[in-house]
Amino acid sequence: MRSVGFKVAMASLFAFAVLAVAWNFLIARVDPTAAPAAVAKGPSVSAGGVALTSAAIALPDATATLPDGPAGELVTQHCTACHSVEMITTQPHLAPEKWQATVEKMRAVYKAPIAPGDDPALVAALVSFQQPARVADK
Ligand code: HEC
Protein backbone atom coordinates (compact mmCIF):
# COMPACT_ATOMS: atom_id res chain seq x y z
CA MET A 1 0.00 0.00 0.00
CA ARG A 2 1.51 3.34 -1.07
CA SER A 3 1.38 6.39 1.20
CA VAL A 4 -1.06 9.20 0.48
CA GLY A 5 1.91 11.51 -0.09
CA PHE A 6 3.26 9.22 -2.79
CA LYS A 7 -0.13 9.09 -4.51
CA VAL A 8 -0.45 12.86 -4.43
CA ALA A 9 3.06 13.23 -5.83
CA MET A 10 2.32 10.77 -8.66
CA ALA A 11 -1.01 12.46 -9.44
CA SER A 12 0.75 15.85 -9.56
CA LEU A 13 3.47 14.44 -11.80
CA PHE A 14 0.83 12.99 -14.12
CA ALA A 15 -1.10 16.27 -14.23
CA PHE A 16 2.12 18.15 -14.98
CA ALA A 17 3.00 15.73 -17.79
CA VAL A 18 -0.47 16.13 -19.34
CA LEU A 19 -0.19 19.93 -19.15
CA ALA A 20 3.33 19.85 -20.64
CA VAL A 21 2.15 17.75 -23.59
CA ALA A 22 -0.90 20.00 -24.10
CA TRP A 23 1.26 23.13 -23.95
CA ASN A 24 3.71 21.71 -26.48
CA PHE A 25 0.84 20.86 -28.77
CA LEU A 26 -0.54 24.41 -28.48
CA ILE A 27 2.71 26.22 -29.15
CA ALA A 28 3.51 23.91 -32.04
CA ARG A 29 0.47 25.39 -33.83
CA VAL A 30 2.02 28.88 -33.92
CA ASP A 31 5.16 29.16 -36.00
CA PRO A 32 6.87 32.41 -34.96
CA THR A 33 9.21 32.23 -37.94
CA ALA A 34 6.39 31.99 -40.51
CA ALA A 35 6.29 34.90 -42.95
CA PRO A 36 3.38 37.27 -42.35
CA ALA A 37 0.48 37.13 -44.80
CA ALA A 38 0.95 39.04 -48.04
CA VAL A 39 2.04 42.57 -47.18
CA ALA A 40 3.00 45.01 -49.91
CA LYS A 41 6.67 45.89 -49.52
CA GLY A 42 7.62 49.52 -50.02
CA PRO A 43 10.97 51.33 -50.00
CA SER A 44 13.50 50.38 -47.35
CA VAL A 45 16.39 52.03 -45.56
CA SER A 46 19.23 50.33 -43.77
CA ALA A 47 21.90 51.41 -41.34
CA GLY A 48 24.02 49.69 -38.75
CA GLY A 49 23.02 46.28 -40.03
CA VAL A 50 19.32 46.99 -39.55
CA ALA A 51 16.96 47.30 -42.54
CA LEU A 52 13.58 48.98 -42.20
CA THR A 53 11.05 48.36 -44.95
CA SER A 54 7.80 50.28 -45.32
CA ALA A 55 4.75 48.10 -45.52
CA ALA A 56 1.22 48.93 -46.57
CA ILE A 57 -1.82 46.95 -45.56
CA ALA A 58 -5.37 47.53 -46.74
CA LEU A 59 -7.91 47.57 -43.93
CA PRO A 60 -11.62 47.25 -44.69
CA ASP A 61 -13.64 50.46 -44.54
CA ALA A 62 -16.27 50.70 -41.83
CA THR A 63 -19.50 51.24 -43.73
CA ALA A 64 -22.33 50.62 -41.26
CA THR A 65 -23.99 53.60 -39.61
CA LEU A 66 -26.38 53.95 -36.72
CA PRO A 67 -29.82 55.46 -37.29
CA ASP A 68 -30.06 59.26 -37.00
CA GLY A 69 -31.57 60.50 -33.77
CA PRO A 70 -30.86 60.56 -30.05
CA ALA A 71 -30.38 56.76 -29.73
CA GLY A 72 -27.80 56.64 -32.50
CA GLU A 73 -26.03 59.69 -31.10
CA LEU A 74 -25.91 58.23 -27.60
CA VAL A 75 -24.32 54.97 -28.77
CA THR A 76 -21.94 56.82 -31.10
CA GLN A 77 -20.89 59.05 -28.22
CA HIS A 78 -20.38 56.25 -25.69
CA CYS A 79 -19.30 53.20 -27.69
CA THR A 80 -17.75 54.01 -31.07
CA ALA A 81 -14.62 55.63 -29.67
CA CYS A 82 -13.46 52.06 -29.04
CA HIS A 83 -15.70 49.85 -31.23
CA SER A 84 -16.90 49.95 -34.82
CA VAL A 85 -20.63 50.29 -35.46
CA GLU A 86 -20.61 46.74 -36.82
CA MET A 87 -19.11 45.44 -33.58
CA ILE A 88 -22.06 46.88 -31.67
CA THR A 89 -24.83 45.93 -34.09
CA THR A 90 -23.68 42.38 -34.81
CA GLN A 91 -23.71 41.24 -31.19
CA PRO A 92 -26.09 38.39 -30.38
CA HIS A 93 -29.54 39.57 -29.31
CA LEU A 94 -29.28 40.31 -25.60
CA ALA A 95 -31.84 41.03 -22.90
CA PRO A 96 -31.70 44.55 -21.38
CA GLU A 97 -30.04 43.20 -18.19
CA LYS A 98 -27.21 41.73 -20.29
CA TRP A 99 -26.67 45.04 -22.10
CA GLN A 100 -26.72 46.77 -18.73
CA ALA A 101 -24.01 44.38 -17.51
CA THR A 102 -21.97 45.04 -20.67
CA VAL A 103 -22.21 48.82 -20.18
CA GLU A 104 -21.14 48.41 -16.55
CA LYS A 105 -18.22 46.22 -17.62
CA MET A 106 -17.10 48.83 -20.18
CA ARG A 107 -17.17 51.46 -17.45
CA ALA A 108 -15.53 49.38 -14.68
CA VAL A 109 -13.02 47.27 -16.61
CA TYR A 110 -12.14 49.36 -19.68
CA LYS A 111 -12.68 52.78 -18.08
CA ALA A 112 -15.22 53.94 -20.67
CA PRO A 113 -16.32 57.43 -19.55
CA ILE A 114 -20.05 56.62 -19.43
CA ALA A 115 -22.11 58.51 -16.84
CA PRO A 116 -24.32 56.01 -14.95
CA GLY A 117 -27.28 58.37 -15.51
CA ASP A 118 -27.06 57.59 -19.23
CA ASP A 119 -27.44 53.83 -18.70
CA PRO A 120 -31.22 53.46 -19.13
CA ALA A 121 -31.30 55.37 -22.44
CA LEU A 122 -28.13 53.64 -23.60
CA VAL A 123 -29.50 50.18 -22.84
CA ALA A 124 -32.80 51.01 -24.58
CA ALA A 125 -30.85 52.21 -27.63
CA LEU A 126 -28.69 49.08 -27.72
CA VAL A 127 -31.75 46.85 -27.49
CA SER A 128 -33.49 48.79 -30.29
CA PHE A 129 -30.48 48.33 -32.61
CA GLN A 130 -30.85 44.57 -32.35
CA GLN A 131 -33.62 44.67 -34.94
CA PRO A 132 -31.73 44.31 -38.24
CA ALA A 133 -34.24 46.63 -39.93
CA ARG A 134 -33.13 49.49 -37.66
CA VAL A 135 -29.52 49.31 -38.84
CA ALA A 136 -29.21 51.76 -41.71
CA ASP A 137 -26.83 49.61 -43.74
CA LYS A 138 -28.97 46.49 -43.79
C1 HEC B 1 -12.72 52.87 -23.52
C2 HEC B 1 -12.96 51.97 -24.61
C3 HEC B 1 -14.29 51.27 -24.67
C4 HEC B 1 -15.54 51.87 -24.74
C5 HEC B 1 -15.88 53.35 -24.77
C6 HEC B 1 -16.49 50.78 -24.89
N1 HEC B 1 -15.85 49.58 -24.89
FE1 HEC B 1 -16.67 47.75 -25.20
N2 HEC B 1 -14.87 46.88 -24.98
C7 HEC B 1 -13.67 47.54 -24.79
C8 HEC B 1 -12.59 46.57 -24.70
C9 HEC B 1 -11.10 46.89 -24.52
C10 HEC B 1 -13.19 45.31 -24.84
C11 HEC B 1 -12.50 43.95 -24.79
C12 HEC B 1 -11.90 43.61 -26.10
C13 HEC B 1 -12.95 43.31 -27.12
O1 HEC B 1 -13.69 42.32 -26.95
O2 HEC B 1 -13.04 44.04 -28.12
C14 HEC B 1 -14.62 45.53 -25.03
C15 HEC B 1 -15.55 44.53 -25.24
C16 HEC B 1 -16.87 44.73 -25.57
C17 HEC B 1 -17.82 43.69 -25.89
C18 HEC B 1 -17.48 42.20 -26.00
C19 HEC B 1 -18.05 41.42 -24.86
C20 HEC B 1 -17.39 41.69 -23.55
O3 HEC B 1 -18.14 41.74 -22.54
O4 HEC B 1 -16.15 41.84 -23.47
C21 HEC B 1 -19.03 44.28 -26.13
C22 HEC B 1 -20.34 43.64 -26.52
C23 HEC B 1 -18.83 45.71 -25.95
N3 HEC B 1 -17.52 45.94 -25.61
C24 HEC B 1 -19.82 46.66 -26.10
C25 HEC B 1 -19.66 48.01 -25.81
C26 HEC B 1 -20.75 48.97 -25.82
C27 HEC B 1 -22.19 48.66 -26.13
C28 HEC B 1 -20.21 50.19 -25.50
C29 HEC B 1 -20.92 51.49 -25.32
C30 HEC B 1 -21.88 51.53 -24.26
C31 HEC B 1 -18.76 49.97 -25.30
N4 HEC B 1 -18.48 48.64 -25.49
C32 HEC B 1 -17.86 50.98 -25.01
C33 HEC B 1 -13.51 48.89 -24.72
C34 HEC B 1 -14.51 49.84 -24.75
PDB file of all heavy atoms in Angstrom, residues 104-124:
ATOM      1  N   GLU A 104     -21.855  48.304 -17.833  1.00  0.00           N
ATOM      2  CA  GLU A 104     -21.139  48.413 -16.549  1.00  0.00           C
ATOM      3  C   GLU A 104     -19.716  47.869 -16.668  1.00  0.00           C
ATOM      4  O   GLU A 104     -18.783  48.417 -16.084  1.00  0.00           O
ATOM      5  CB  GLU A 104     -21.910  47.673 -15.445  1.00  0.00           C
ATOM      6  CG  GLU A 104     -23.085  48.488 -14.938  1.00  0.00           C
ATOM      7  CD  GLU A 104     -24.080  47.676 -14.114  1.00  0.00           C
ATOM      8  OE1 GLU A 104     -23.710  46.587 -13.629  1.00  0.00           O
ATOM      9  OE2 GLU A 104     -25.223  48.136 -13.964  1.00  0.00           O
ATOM     10  N   LYS A 105     -19.560  46.779 -17.436  1.00  0.00           N
ATOM     11  CA  LYS A 105     -18.218  46.215 -17.622  1.00  0.00           C
ATOM     12  C   LYS A 105     -17.330  47.206 -18.380  1.00  0.00           C
ATOM     13  O   LYS A 105     -16.166  47.402 -18.020  1.00  0.00           O
ATOM     14  CB  LYS A 105     -18.314  44.895 -18.386  1.00  0.00           C
ATOM     15  CG  LYS A 105     -16.971  44.257 -18.670  1.00  0.00           C
ATOM     16  CD  LYS A 105     -17.141  42.960 -19.466  1.00  0.00           C
ATOM     17  CE  LYS A 105     -15.801  42.383 -19.874  1.00  0.00           C
ATOM     18  NZ  LYS A 105     -15.950  41.208 -20.738  1.00  0.00           N
ATOM     19  N   MET A 106     -17.890  47.852 -19.420  1.00  0.00           N
ATOM     20  CA  MET A 106     -17.099  48.828 -20.183  1.00  0.00           C
ATOM     21  C   MET A 106     -16.616  49.942 -19.258  1.00  0.00           C
ATOM     22  O   MET A 106     -15.484  50.396 -19.348  1.00  0.00           O
ATOM     23  CB  MET A 106     -17.920  49.432 -21.332  1.00  0.00           C
ATOM     24  CG  MET A 106     -18.347  48.441 -22.400  1.00  0.00           C
ATOM     25  SD  MET A 106     -16.965  47.525 -23.081  1.00  0.00           S
ATOM     26  CE  MET A 106     -17.401  45.867 -22.626  1.00  0.00           C
ATOM     27  N   ARG A 107     -17.509  50.358 -18.363  1.00  0.00           N
ATOM     28  CA  ARG A 107     -17.166  51.456 -17.449  1.00  0.00           C
ATOM     29  C   ARG A 107     -16.133  50.992 -16.414  1.00  0.00           C
ATOM     30  O   ARG A 107     -15.123  51.660 -16.202  1.00  0.00           O
ATOM     31  CB  ARG A 107     -18.444  51.943 -16.753  1.00  0.00           C
ATOM     32  CG  ARG A 107     -18.214  53.085 -15.787  1.00  0.00           C
ATOM     33  CD  ARG A 107     -19.512  53.831 -15.479  1.00  0.00           C
ATOM     34  NE  ARG A 107     -20.573  52.908 -15.126  1.00  0.00           N
ATOM     35  CZ  ARG A 107     -21.806  52.957 -15.652  1.00  0.00           C
ATOM     36  NH1 ARG A 107     -22.141  53.876 -16.517  1.00  0.00           N
ATOM     37  NH2 ARG A 107     -22.714  52.082 -15.291  1.00  0.00           N
ATOM     38  N   ALA A 108     -16.378  49.830 -15.789  1.00  0.00           N
ATOM     39  CA  ALA A 108     -15.526  49.383 -14.677  1.00  0.00           C
ATOM     40  C   ALA A 108     -14.192  48.812 -15.165  1.00  0.00           C
ATOM     41  O   ALA A 108     -13.149  49.125 -14.609  1.00  0.00           O
ATOM     42  CB  ALA A 108     -16.270  48.343 -13.853  1.00  0.00           C
ATOM     43  N   VAL A 109     -14.233  47.976 -16.192  1.00  0.00           N
ATOM     44  CA  VAL A 109     -13.019  47.268 -16.610  1.00  0.00           C
ATOM     45  C   VAL A 109     -12.199  48.078 -17.605  1.00  0.00           C
ATOM     46  O   VAL A 109     -10.987  48.174 -17.485  1.00  0.00           O
ATOM     47  CB  VAL A 109     -13.366  45.885 -17.213  1.00  0.00           C
ATOM     48  CG1 VAL A 109     -12.096  45.140 -17.612  1.00  0.00           C
ATOM     49  CG2 VAL A 109     -14.174  45.056 -16.219  1.00  0.00           C
ATOM     50  N   TYR A 110     -12.883  48.678 -18.613  1.00  0.00           N
ATOM     51  CA  TYR A 110     -12.144  49.363 -19.676  1.00  0.00           C
ATOM     52  C   TYR A 110     -12.160  50.878 -19.536  1.00  0.00           C
ATOM     53  O   TYR A 110     -11.712  51.593 -20.421  1.00  0.00           O
ATOM     54  CB  TYR A 110     -12.676  48.929 -21.047  1.00  0.00           C
ATOM     55  CG  TYR A 110     -12.620  47.434 -21.228  1.00  0.00           C
ATOM     56  CD1 TYR A 110     -13.766  46.697 -21.517  1.00  0.00           C
ATOM     57  CD2 TYR A 110     -11.419  46.752 -21.078  1.00  0.00           C
ATOM     58  CE1 TYR A 110     -13.710  45.318 -21.658  1.00  0.00           C
ATOM     59  CE2 TYR A 110     -11.355  45.377 -21.216  1.00  0.00           C
ATOM     60  CZ  TYR A 110     -12.505  44.666 -21.509  1.00  0.00           C
ATOM     61  OH  TYR A 110     -12.462  43.309 -21.645  1.00  0.00           O
ATOM     62  N   LYS A 111     -12.703  51.354 -18.410  1.00  0.00           N
ATOM     63  CA  LYS A 111     -12.679  52.783 -18.079  1.00  0.00           C
ATOM     64  C   LYS A 111     -13.377  53.655 -19.119  1.00  0.00           C
ATOM     65  O   LYS A 111     -12.969  54.788 -19.385  1.00  0.00           O
ATOM     66  CB  LYS A 111     -11.227  53.283 -17.893  1.00  0.00           C
ATOM     67  CG  LYS A 111     -10.409  52.440 -16.932  1.00  0.00           C
ATOM     68  CD  LYS A 111     -11.016  52.401 -15.549  1.00  0.00           C
ATOM     69  CE  LYS A 111     -10.257  51.459 -14.620  1.00  0.00           C
ATOM     70  NZ  LYS A 111     -11.087  50.911 -13.543  1.00  0.00           N
ATOM     71  N   ALA A 112     -14.434  53.125 -19.743  1.00  0.00           N
ATOM     72  CA  ALA A 112     -15.218  53.943 -20.674  1.00  0.00           C
ATOM     73  C   ALA A 112     -15.886  55.057 -19.868  1.00  0.00           C
ATOM     74  O   ALA A 112     -16.498  54.783 -18.834  1.00  0.00           O
ATOM     75  CB  ALA A 112     -16.268  53.085 -21.370  1.00  0.00           C
ATOM     76  N   PRO A 113     -15.755  56.308 -20.314  1.00  0.00           N
ATOM     77  CA  PRO A 113     -16.323  57.428 -19.550  1.00  0.00           C
ATOM     78  C   PRO A 113     -17.831  57.566 -19.772  1.00  0.00           C
ATOM     79  O   PRO A 113     -18.290  58.500 -20.414  1.00  0.00           O
ATOM     80  CB  PRO A 113     -15.547  58.642 -20.082  1.00  0.00           C
ATOM     81  CG  PRO A 113     -15.161  58.259 -21.472  1.00  0.00           C
ATOM     82  CD  PRO A 113     -15.035  56.760 -21.512  1.00  0.00           C
ATOM     83  N   ILE A 114     -18.586  56.612 -19.251  1.00  0.00           N
ATOM     84  CA  ILE A 114     -20.046  56.619 -19.430  1.00  0.00           C
ATOM     85  C   ILE A 114     -20.677  57.000 -18.092  1.00  0.00           C
ATOM     86  O   ILE A 114     -20.495  56.305 -17.097  1.00  0.00           O
ATOM     87  CB  ILE A 114     -20.552  55.228 -19.868  1.00  0.00           C
ATOM     88  CG1 ILE A 114     -19.857  54.781 -21.160  1.00  0.00           C
ATOM     89  CG2 ILE A 114     -22.071  55.235 -20.044  1.00  0.00           C
ATOM     90  CD1 ILE A 114     -20.095  53.318 -21.525  1.00  0.00           C
ATOM     91  N   ALA A 115     -21.440  58.099 -18.078  1.00  0.00           N
ATOM     92  CA  ALA A 115     -22.107  58.508 -16.837  1.00  0.00           C
ATOM     93  C   ALA A 115     -23.225  57.514 -16.531  1.00  0.00           C
ATOM     94  O   ALA A 115     -24.023  57.198 -17.417  1.00  0.00           O
ATOM     95  CB  ALA A 115     -22.677  59.911 -17.000  1.00  0.00           C
ATOM     96  N   PRO A 116     -23.290  57.003 -15.289  1.00  0.00           N
ATOM     97  CA  PRO A 116     -24.322  56.010 -14.952  1.00  0.00           C
ATOM     98  C   PRO A 116     -25.734  56.506 -15.266  1.00  0.00           C
ATOM     99  O   PRO A 116     -26.602  55.709 -15.603  1.00  0.00           O
ATOM    100  CB  PRO A 116     -24.133  55.793 -13.448  1.00  0.00           C
ATOM    101  CG  PRO A 116     -22.695  56.137 -13.195  1.00  0.00           C
ATOM    102  CD  PRO A 116     -22.363  57.237 -14.166  1.00  0.00           C
ATOM    103  N   GLY A 117     -25.961  57.825 -15.212  1.00  0.00           N
ATOM    104  CA  GLY A 117     -27.282  58.369 -15.513  1.00  0.00           C
ATOM    105  C   GLY A 117     -27.719  58.113 -16.947  1.00  0.00           C
ATOM    106  O   GLY A 117     -28.907  58.150 -17.260  1.00  0.00           O
ATOM    107  N   ASP A 118     -26.743  57.851 -17.827  1.00  0.00           N
ATOM    108  CA  ASP A 118     -27.062  57.590 -19.235  1.00  0.00           C
ATOM    109  C   ASP A 118     -27.448  56.135 -19.488  1.00  0.00           C
ATOM    110  O   ASP A 118     -27.902  55.790 -20.573  1.00  0.00           O
ATOM    111  CB  ASP A 118     -25.853  57.921 -20.131  1.00  0.00           C
ATOM    112  CG  ASP A 118     -25.656  59.413 -20.298  1.00  0.00           C
ATOM    113  OD1 ASP A 118     -26.622  60.166 -20.036  1.00  0.00           O
ATOM    114  OD2 ASP A 118     -24.553  59.829 -20.687  1.00  0.00           O
ATOM    115  N   ASP A 119     -27.242  55.272 -18.484  1.00  0.00           N
ATOM    116  CA  ASP A 119     -27.438  53.831 -18.698  1.00  0.00           C
ATOM    117  C   ASP A 119     -28.816  53.445 -19.241  1.00  0.00           C
ATOM    118  O   ASP A 119     -28.894  52.697 -20.228  1.00  0.00           O
ATOM    119  CB  ASP A 119     -27.152  53.035 -17.415  1.00  0.00           C
ATOM    120  CG  ASP A 119     -25.654  52.944 -17.112  1.00  0.00           C
ATOM    121  OD1 ASP A 119     -24.875  53.673 -17.772  1.00  0.00           O
ATOM    122  OD2 ASP A 119     -25.268  52.173 -16.220  1.00  0.00           O
ATOM    123  N   PRO A 120     -29.917  53.927 -18.633  1.00  0.00           N
ATOM    124  CA  PRO A 120     -31.221  53.463 -19.129  1.00  0.00           C
ATOM    125  C   PRO A 120     -31.441  53.775 -20.616  1.00  0.00           C
ATOM    126  O   PRO A 120     -31.859  52.895 -21.376  1.00  0.00           O
ATOM    127  CB  PRO A 120     -32.228  54.225 -18.247  1.00  0.00           C
ATOM    128  CG  PRO A 120     -31.454  54.532 -16.992  1.00  0.00           C
ATOM    129  CD  PRO A 120     -30.045  54.775 -17.449  1.00  0.00           C
ATOM    130  N   ALA A 121     -31.112  55.009 -21.030  1.00  0.00           N
ATOM    131  CA  ALA A 121     -31.301  55.374 -22.436  1.00  0.00           C
ATOM    132  C   ALA A 121     -30.342  54.589 -23.334  1.00  0.00           C
ATOM    133  O   ALA A 121     -30.709  54.169 -24.443  1.00  0.00           O
ATOM    134  CB  ALA A 121     -31.091  56.880 -22.617  1.00  0.00           C
ATOM    135  N   LEU A 122     -29.139  54.374 -22.822  1.00  0.00           N
ATOM    136  CA  LEU A 122     -28.134  53.644 -23.597  1.00  0.00           C
ATOM    137  C   LEU A 122     -28.572  52.196 -23.820  1.00  0.00           C
ATOM    138  O   LEU A 122     -28.498  51.659 -24.928  1.00  0.00           O
ATOM    139  CB  LEU A 122     -26.812  53.695 -22.823  1.00  0.00           C
ATOM    140  CG  LEU A 122     -25.508  53.413 -23.538  1.00  0.00           C
ATOM    141  CD1 LEU A 122     -25.399  54.185 -24.838  1.00  0.00           C
ATOM    142  CD2 LEU A 122     -24.330  53.750 -22.614  1.00  0.00           C
ATOM    143  N   VAL A 123     -29.057  51.575 -22.752  1.00  0.00           N
ATOM    144  CA  VAL A 123     -29.500  50.176 -22.843  1.00  0.00           C
ATOM    145  C   VAL A 123     -30.694  50.078 -23.797  1.00  0.00           C
ATOM    146  O   VAL A 123     -30.750  49.186 -24.659  1.00  0.00           O
ATOM    147  CB  VAL A 123     -29.843  49.611 -21.447  1.00  0.00           C
ATOM    148  CG1 VAL A 123     -30.582  48.286 -21.552  1.00  0.00           C
ATOM    149  CG2 VAL A 123     -28.561  49.437 -20.620  1.00  0.00           C
ATOM    150  N   ALA A 124     -31.632  51.021 -23.690  1.00  0.00           N
ATOM    151  CA  ALA A 124     -32.797  51.014 -24.583  1.00  0.00           C
ATOM    152  C   ALA A 124     -32.344  51.144 -26.033  1.00  0.00           C
ATOM    153  O   ALA A 124     -32.860  50.457 -26.929  1.00  0.00           O
ATOM    154  CB  ALA A 124     -33.754  52.148 -24.206  1.00  0.00           C
TER     155      ALA A 124
END
